[in-house]
């Protein structure tokens, strides 16, 4: 609603007209800069007078960049339009071929049909590849448009026709001498091609923001100059409904991330129907982004509309467009020129007069802004030139553009995967493709001769921008890790000192940060919980990153642990946003690939707020081949006693076990934790394997034993013999325990040994690694480590953890068949009480464990 709509009828139209005339005169004489200054002054005056008015965040439903403000288009428009048509056809042919052969494969045509020109303008003029002279842009591609990216790679010679024939057939493709093409951007599946996984809606948008911020972090810390590089995100308007898409908009504005450009493909349609049938999504997004502090560029209407707007002296066209809701706009997209003449332009005589000289076909061909290469180029150029704010381009398109009756603007277009012969011929004719009827109905792929003007242009444009995209690189210099004894000797030889594993980790981290080589590459990340985890001492040691330094004197400035922000600060303190902290972790954990610079992030958080809360983002990080540490502190269901249900974690290790490249550990002691961290650093930084580690820590203080060298192998494999108690001839039992519950298992072992039982006590550092080793051993024909561990034991095996029973249940299939196996865990919802009461309630205290062993 505009501000004027809140007012009663104008009591003095002549005075209003005089004010408007005066403003127009000022604008004409002194330009828009002076006009903005005057408007700002008037708004300030109104605010001081408590008028209770503020300007609308919506502008008229027209392009932000006027036709006379457009720069000259620098390319060959005819060739670029022909290339875009080739991409559209090959993308369509790929999907339709796959579904003619195998109806179950799926795929998408309509999304890329709407976004093709947005992509192609970027490929031809803006998206930089990585070279020695340019670090490369980061491009997040709309996932349903993946076929179009494959179509371009085919023309570039990066993919063969055989590869296109194996779209979504990754398993059978190698046997046919082809490369299977993944459904969406998946770096794990296509590690030299896709750079960022965007298939899960909302993950790409938030990730792009934190990647842009991380580039500033690298620059401000003097680690890597990221100047001149841009993060581009091409996303859908329906995707903006995802909370993750919107959750970091104010951070991007607050950090003044003018290295970030979003292109929101506003085709007005999601899977089932209109994004906002009864409203206008572009208006909504303009308000949202402008209110969050972004620069907004509306790209709504193509060049063919310029003449109509120029003749629209009464404003009838602007009013009509502003009054048309998206559901109706979608209908106009699905209908032909005659329907649009009668039902849109026929609304009143002024509109009808505007198109009086146009044929129905010309009306049908009126382009929306997102399909006009000249308009797109102008918007992209303006976005790159803008300083001090991130920019969003709201590009109006038609879903299924060019598909005609087969899908343009139709409710079912998102799922359209097959076209009949007439529809294929119509598509060919619409884009003037050089195909015979037989070739078109046979879905022949199109690739011009290598010496053709189109192919030369394609290669020249990408060569000028640094080579083909997307392109993932993984070459990175080895980052040496200091000797374990040097930074973790206190944990390995703890000598019975009481401490929590969280306390031990923070001390270990502080020591690592002092290492001259590794220290600067470490990225500590917290979500407003540094003091909770005893990390306040790091505030002064390495500082908290701030893009503006520290503009205030903190309340605790005289304290040894005072809050210190700095331009070159090392800690990323992300506020109360686990999604944001995980996005920062992903940016740091993939820096080796994205920037060619290995970084080592440690994100420490309440373990309950990890896999349960942002598990999809963690899965995407796994897809992106992240390398780093997730530290789940105050872990387990009974260690964080008083906090209750939603703070108590009993399932994160169960979820972590489902991620193939995540190594999850639940160490009970500081020495175990130190050895695991050391092994992880060497695996990721020296061996450069695409894994990440999840390590759970507790806040419970208890005596920490020395870790003997003989136990090192078992710690990393998942378990080791901690002790054997009781008389040699006593009735045998094996007790296995992990993390917070191991001390209860230890006490149970002592009770049973005192009763004359022979107790073999095993500290389990990772249930999932034990199970994975056993599964691999079966496939490889070797003895699993679990069998080696239990080789000289007998009797029942009792396993206990602070997690649900399903965590230790992962071992059942691999235990010797003659051993009774009983799992004890914390199934159910958490409770608030003391640790002792909670462990008794869930049946994982020493008394319950001993009782189970006596059965």
């Amino acid at each position: 609603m505009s501000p004027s709509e809140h007012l009663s009828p104008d009591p003095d139209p002549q005075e209003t007209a005089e004010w408007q005339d005066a403003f127009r005169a000022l604008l004409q004489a002194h330009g828009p800069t002076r006009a903005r200054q005057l408007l700002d002054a008037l708004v300030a005056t109104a605010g001081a007078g408590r008028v209770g008015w503020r300007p609308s965040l919506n502008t008229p439903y027209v392009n932000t960049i006027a036709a006379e403000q457009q720069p000259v288009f620098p390319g060959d428009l005819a060739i670029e339009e022909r290339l875009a048509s080739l991409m559209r056809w090959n993308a369509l042919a790929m999907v339709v071929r796959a579904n003619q052969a195998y109806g179950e494969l799926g795929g998408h045509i309509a999304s890329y049909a709407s976004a093709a020109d947005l992509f192609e303008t970027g490929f031809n003029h803006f998206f930089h590849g990585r070279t020695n002279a340019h670090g490369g842009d980061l491009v997040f591609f709309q996932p349903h448009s993946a076929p179009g990216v494959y179509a371009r790679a085919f023309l570039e010679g990066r993919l063969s026709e055989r590869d296109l024939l194996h779209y979504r057939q990754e398993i059978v493709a190698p046997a046919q001498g082809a490369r299977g093409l993944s459904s969406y951007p998946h770096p794990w599946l296509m590690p030299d091609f896709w750079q960022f996984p965007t298939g899960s809606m909302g993950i790409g948008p938030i990730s792009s923001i934190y990647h842009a911020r991380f580039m500033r972090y690298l620059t401000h810390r003097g680690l890597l100059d990221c100047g001149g590089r841009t993060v581009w995100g091409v996303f859908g308007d329906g995707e903006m409904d995802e909370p993750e898409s919107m959750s970091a908009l104010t951070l991007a504005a607050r950090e003044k991330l003018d290295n970030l450009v979003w292109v929101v493909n506003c085709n007005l349609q999601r899977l089932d129907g209109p994004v906002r049938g009864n409203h206008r999504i572009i208006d909504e997004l303009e308000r949202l982004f402008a209110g969050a502090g972004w620069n907004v560029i509306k790209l709504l209407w193509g060049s063919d509309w310029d003449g109509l707007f120029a003749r629209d002296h009464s404003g009838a066209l602007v009013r009509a467009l502003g009054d048309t809701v998206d559901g109706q706009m979608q209908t106009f997209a699905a209908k032909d020129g005659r329907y649009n003449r009668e039902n849109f332009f026929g609304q009143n005589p002024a509109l009808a007069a505007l198109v009086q000289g146009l044929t129905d076909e010309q009306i049908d061909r009126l382009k929306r802004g997102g399909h006009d290469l000249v308009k797109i180029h102008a918007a992209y150029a303006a976005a790159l030139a803008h300083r001090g704010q991130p920019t969003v381009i709201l590009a109006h398109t038609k879903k299924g553009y060019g598909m005609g009756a087969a899908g343009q603007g139709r409710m079912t277009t998102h799922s359209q995967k097959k076209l009949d012969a007439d529809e294929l011929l119509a598509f060919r004719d619409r884009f003037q493709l050089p195909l015979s009827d037989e070739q078109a109905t046979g879905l022949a792929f199109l690739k011009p001769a290598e010496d053709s003007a189109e192919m030369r242009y394609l290669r020249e444009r990408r060569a000028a921008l640094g080579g083909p995209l997307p392109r993932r690189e993984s070459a990175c210099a080895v980052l040496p890790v200091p000797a374990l004894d040097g930074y973790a000797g206190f944990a390995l030889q703890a000598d019975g000192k009481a401490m929590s594993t969280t306390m031990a980790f923070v001390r270990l981290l502080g020591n690592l940060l002092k290492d001259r080589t590794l220290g600067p590459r470490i990225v500590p990340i917290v979500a407003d919980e540094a003091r909770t985890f005893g990390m306040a001492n790091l505030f002064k040691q390495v500082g908290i990153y701030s893009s503006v330094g520290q503009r205030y004197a903190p309340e605790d400035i005289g304290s040894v642990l005072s809050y210190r922000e700095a331009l070159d600060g090392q800690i990323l303190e992300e506020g109360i946003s686990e999604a944001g902290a995980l996005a920062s972790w992903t940016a740091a954990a993939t820096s080796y690939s994205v920037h060619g610079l290995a970084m080592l992030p440690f994100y420490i958080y309440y373990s309950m707020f990890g896999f349960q809360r942002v598990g999809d983002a963690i899965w995407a990080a796994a897809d992106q081949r992240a390398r780093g540490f997730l530290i789940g502190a105050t872990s387990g269901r009974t260690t964080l006693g008083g906090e209750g249900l939603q703070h108590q974690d009993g399932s994160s290790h169960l979820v972590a076990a489902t991620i193939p490249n995540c190594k999850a550990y639940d160490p009970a002691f500081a020495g175990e934790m130190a050895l695991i961290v050391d092994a992880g650093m060497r695996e990721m930084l020296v061996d450069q394997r695409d894994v990440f580690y999840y390590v759970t820590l507790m806040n419970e203080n208890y005596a920490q034993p020395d870790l003997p060298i003989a136990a090192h192998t078992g710690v990393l494999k998942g378990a080791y013999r901690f002790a054997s108690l009781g008389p040699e001839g006593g009735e045998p039992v094996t007790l296995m325990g992990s993390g917070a519950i191991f001390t209860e298992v230890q006490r149970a072992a002592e009770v049973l040994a005192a009763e004359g039982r022979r107790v073999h006590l095993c500290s389990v550092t990772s249930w999932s690694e034990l199970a994975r080793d056993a599964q691999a051993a079966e496939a490889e024909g070797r003895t699993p480590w679990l069998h080696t561990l239990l080789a000289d034991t007998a009797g029942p095996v009792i396993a206990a953890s602070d997690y649900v029973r399903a965590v230790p249940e992962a071992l059942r299939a691999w235990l010797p068949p003659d051993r009774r196996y009983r799992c004890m865990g914390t199934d159910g919802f958490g409770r608030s009480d003391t640790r002792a009461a909670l462990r008794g309630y869930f049946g994982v205290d020493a008394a319950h464990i001993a009782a189970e062993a006596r059965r």
Side-chain angles (χ1 to χ4, degrees):
M1 183 177 289
S2 67
S4 61
E5 292 178 72
H6 294 284
L7 304 177
S8 55
D10 190 341
D12 192 343
Q14 182 177 350
E15 182 183 33
T16 301
E18 290 172 356
W19 276 83
Q20 289 174 327
D21 289 342
F23 185 78
R24 291 189 191 99
L26 178 136
L27 179 61
Q28 185 173 3
H30 301 288
T33 300
R34 177 59 184 148
R36 286 193 294 269
Q37 290 173 340
L38 183 62
L39 289 172
D40 288 340
L42 288 172
V43 169
T45 302
R50 308 203 176 184
V51 174
W53 176 92
R54 66 182 60 186
S56 170
L57 292 176
N58 276 129
T59 56
Y61 208 67
V62 297
N63 293 341
T64 300
I65 301 171
E68 59 271 18
Q69 296 173 320
Q70 291 173 195
V72 175
F73 185 73
D76 187 316
L77 186 59
I79 288 181
E80 290 193 28
E81 288 181 337
R82 289 200 297 273
L83 283 170
S85 296
L86 291 176
M87 309 300 178
R88 280 192 174 91
W89 173 261
N90 286 334
L92 176 149
M94 184 191 339
V95 175
V96 176
R97 271 178 174 268
N99 285 279
Q100 283 183 348
Y102 308 97
E104 63 192 274
L105 288 177
H108 301 276
I109 300 171
S111 291
Y112 178 68
S114 69
D117 298 301
L118 301 173
F119 280 21
E120 284 303 301
T121 304
F123 280 127
N124 287 324
H125 300 281
F126 294 96
F127 299 162
H128 285 270
R130 191 198 296 183
T131 65
N132 292 332
H134 193 289
D137 290 340
L138 283 57
V139 185
F140 290 74
F141 290 98
Q142 189 177 11
H144 292 118
S145 296
V149 182
Y150 294 142
R152 169 168 268 268
F154 168 60
L155 290 195
E156 292 173 338
R158 302 174 66 199
L159 297 176
S160 69
E161 182 171 324
R162 189 179 294 273
D163 296 332
L164 298 194
L165 290 171
H166 287 84
Y167 171 61
R168 293 193 171 196
Q169 298 164 63
E170 297 163 84
I171 296 173
V172 302
Q176 303 299 319
R179 176 175 195 173
L181 304 181
S182 61
S183 54
Y184 304 119
H186 291 304
W188 189 265
L189 300 173
M190 298 181 68
D192 63 341
F193 193 90
W194 293 115
Q195 197 169 25
F196 303 107
T198 54
S200 183
M201 299 288 99
I203 300 299
I206 189 173
S207 185
S208 71
I209 291 174
Y210 281 88
H211 271 282
R213 201 277 295 267
F214 188 71
M215 289 164 69
R216 290 287 172 82
Y217 171 89
L218 291 175
T219 299
H220 288 155
R221 291 196 52 223
L223 295 172
L224 185 69
D225 183 3
C226 295
R229 300 172 64 190
T230 303
V231 179
W232 296 86
V234 184
F235 308 118
D237 49 357
E239 186 173 4
M240 294 300 105
D241 284 346
E242 289 285 3
E244 292 89 350
S245 296
M246 300 288 100
S247 63
L249 294 187
T250 54
L251 175 136
R254 185 169 66 247
E255 296 288 309
K256 299 183 178 2
L257 297 180
D258 50 22
N259 62 339
L260 176 66
V261 178
W262 278 13
V263 182
V264 180
N265 177 18
C266 297
N267 59 33
L268 312 186
Q269 189 173 330
R270 50 191 174 201
L271 277 67
D272 292 334
V275 177
R276 296 287 185 274
N278 297 304
H279 304 278
R280 287 186 297 279
I281 185 62
I282 291 175
D283 281 352
E284 180 180 321
L285 293 178
E286 182 182 25
R287 291 192 299 270
L288 179 67
F289 281 94
W294 285 53
N295 174 44
V296 180
I297 297 175
K298 294 200 307 195
L299 172 61
L300 307 186
W301 311 109
S303 300
D304 294 340
W305 290 80
D306 289 342
L308 299 179
F309 285 116
R311 297 196 298 274
D312 181 30
H313 302 298
S314 68
L317 179 57
V318 175
R319 286 193 298 274
L321 292 171
D323 291 340
T324 304
V325 297
D326 286 354
Q328 188 61 48
M329 193 67 76
Q330 181 189 1
T331 300
F332 291 145
K335 301 297 185 179
D336 61 14
R338 175 161 293 279
Y339 180 92
N340 279 267
R341 180 191 297 277
E342 294 173 353
N343 293 275
F344 178 76
F345 291 105
Q347 294 180 70
N348 57 60
L351 283 177
L354 289 177
V355 294
Q356 191 168 9
L358 300 182
T359 66
D360 290 347
E361 183 180 4
Q362 287 174 315
I363 292 175
D364 191 47
R365 292 294 185 95
L366 288 172
K367 289 181 179 178
R368 295 184 180 176
H371 300 305
D372 188 311
L373 298 177
V374 174
K375 298 289 187 183
I376 298 168
H377 182 275
Y380 285 13
L384 276 188
H386 189 78
R387 291 291 171 263
Q389 292 174 291
T391 292
V392 61
I393 298 169
L394 303 177
H396 197 187
T397 65
K398 294 180 180 180
K399 192 158 189 175
Y401 178 65
M403 292 173 65
Q408 179 172 287
R410 298 184 181 275
M411 294 291 190
T412 58
T413 189
H414 186 81
S415 301
Q416 188 72 34
K417 301 170 181 64
K418 297 180 181 179
L419 282 78
D420 63 26
D422 289 341
E423 292 164 342
L424 290 170
L425 293 174
F427 191 94
R428 176 203 63 182
D429 296 341
R430 169 66 180 80
F431 292 105
Q432 300 178 341
L433 296 161
L435 292 164
S436 66
D437 288 0
E438 185 179 2
Q439 288 174 319
T441 56
L443 295 164
F445 292 119
L446 271 175
K447 187 173 186 180
E450 289 297 320
D451 62 349
S452 65
E454 290 84 359
M455 294 297 283
R456 289 199 306 272
Y457 189 89
L458 181 83
R459 292 191 295 267
E460 288 167 2
R461 293 310 309 142
R462 284 315 309 162
L465 290 167
L469 278 178
R471 183 179 76 231
R472 182 182 178 276
E473 301 182 33
S474 57
C476 182
V478 167
L479 185 58
V481 175
L484 176 60
D485 288 344
Y487 67 87
F490 74 94
L492 299 173
Q493 290 86 40
D495 196 27
K497 182 179 179 180
M499 70 177 91
S500 67
T501 50
T502 297
M503 183 190 306
F505 168 76
V506 173
R507 182 174 171 185
L508 178 150
L509 181 61
N511 290 342
L512 283 173
L513 286 165
K514 296 172 185 175
D515 184 79
R516 290 186 177 182
T517 302
L518 178 61
R521 304 285 191 91
I522 291 174
V523 185
I525 303 172
V526 290
D528 199 41
E529 293 162 339
R531 295 187 191 275
T532 300
F533 303 133
M535 297 173 66
N537 62 305
L538 298 181
F539 292 167
K540 278 199 171 181
Q541 180 180 339
V542 296
I544 299 165
Y545 171 69
S546 165
S547 61
V548 296
Q550 191 162 27
R551 296 175 171 177
Y552 62 94
E555 171 275 328
D556 59 353
I557 194 169
S559 167
V560 175
L561 305 179
S562 65
Y563 202 79
R564 184 175 76 88
E565 299 186 70
L567 185 65
D568 62 350
Q570 200 159 342
I571 300 169
L572 290 175
E573 214 289 10
E574 300 298 8
I576 305 174
S577 173
E578 283 82 10
L582 202 283
S584 265
W585 179 85
T586 301
T590 57
S591 177
Y592 76 94
S593 169
V594 175
H595 306 296
L597 181 75
M599 301 294 287
L600 184 64
F602 289 89
Y603 169 30
I604 183 170
Y605 56 92
Y606 273 29
S607 69
M608 188 64 176
F609 303 142
F611 287 86
Q612 295 88 337
R613 188 158 190 164
V614 289
D616 196 15
I618 295 175
W619 186 262
D623 189 353
Q624 200 175 329
R625 297 173 171 259
R627 300 173 184 172
F629 287 91
L630 297 174
I631 306 295
T634 59
S635 64
R637 186 147 282 162
T638 67
T639 188
L640 192 62
E643 294 285 358
L645 187 152
Q646 285 188 269
H647 281 65
Q648 294 172 342
D649 166 29
S651 56
S652 68
H653 273 281
L654 188 64
V655 182
T658 66
I659 301 179
N661 54 339
C662 174
K663 292 192 171 185
Y665 288 90
D666 185 33
F669 299 116
E672 297 171 356
M673 178 274 299
L675 188 66
I676 291 163
V677 169
D678 185 78
M681 290 192 297
R682 296 181 193 282
E683 188 171 11
M684 292 182 279
L685 301 177
V686 180
D687 299 337
Q688 298 194 351
R689 293 182 182 144
D690 296 340
V691 298
F692 65 97
Y693 278 56
Y694 174 54
V695 183
T696 44
L697 306 177
M698 287 77 68
N699 63 343
E700 182 179 0
N701 290 324
Y702 47 76
Q704 300 288 333
D706 295 348
L707 182 69
I709 293 177
H712 287 202
T713 298
V715 167
L716 300 180
K717 286 184 175 291
Y720 67 97
R721 183 77 58 81
F722 183 83
S724 292
L725 298 77
E728 289 281 356
E731 184 180 353
V733 63
T734 298
L735 303 185
M736 305 177 73
S738 71
I741 297 304
F742 186 76
T743 55
E744 299 291 337
V745 177
Q746 193 175 8
R747 283 192 282 273
E750 292 167 354
V751 169
L752 293 169
E755 295 173 359
R757 300 285 296 270
R758 180 61 174 171
V759 184
H760 298 290
L761 179 59
C762 297
S763 177
V764 177
T765 53
S766 176
W767 303 98
S768 55
E769 287 301 298
L770 270 180
R772 287 176 179 176
D773 172 78
Q775 186 173 20
E778 182 179 69
E780 297 163 9
R782 60 175 174 83
T783 302
W785 178 253
L786 179 60
H787 288 192
T788 302
L789 184 71
L790 300 176
D792 61 346
T793 69
V797 178
I798 312 299
S801 80
D802 213 11
Y803 297 88
V804 294
R805 291 181 179 89
V807 172
E809 277 288 346
L811 300 185
R812 183 176 296 278
W814 316 109
L815 282 164
D818 60 338
R819 306 287 293 272
R820 180 172 73 89
Y821 187 55
R822 170 65 172 167
C823 295
M824 306 179 71
T826 54
D827 293 52
F829 285 115
R831 299 286 192 279
S832 295
D833 215 305
T834 64
R835 291 190 186 107
L838 288 168
R839 288 168 185 172
Y841 173 81
F842 285 109
V844 290
D845 61 357
H848 282 86
I849 294 168
E852 184 60 40
R854 296 187 191 105
R855 285 192 184 181

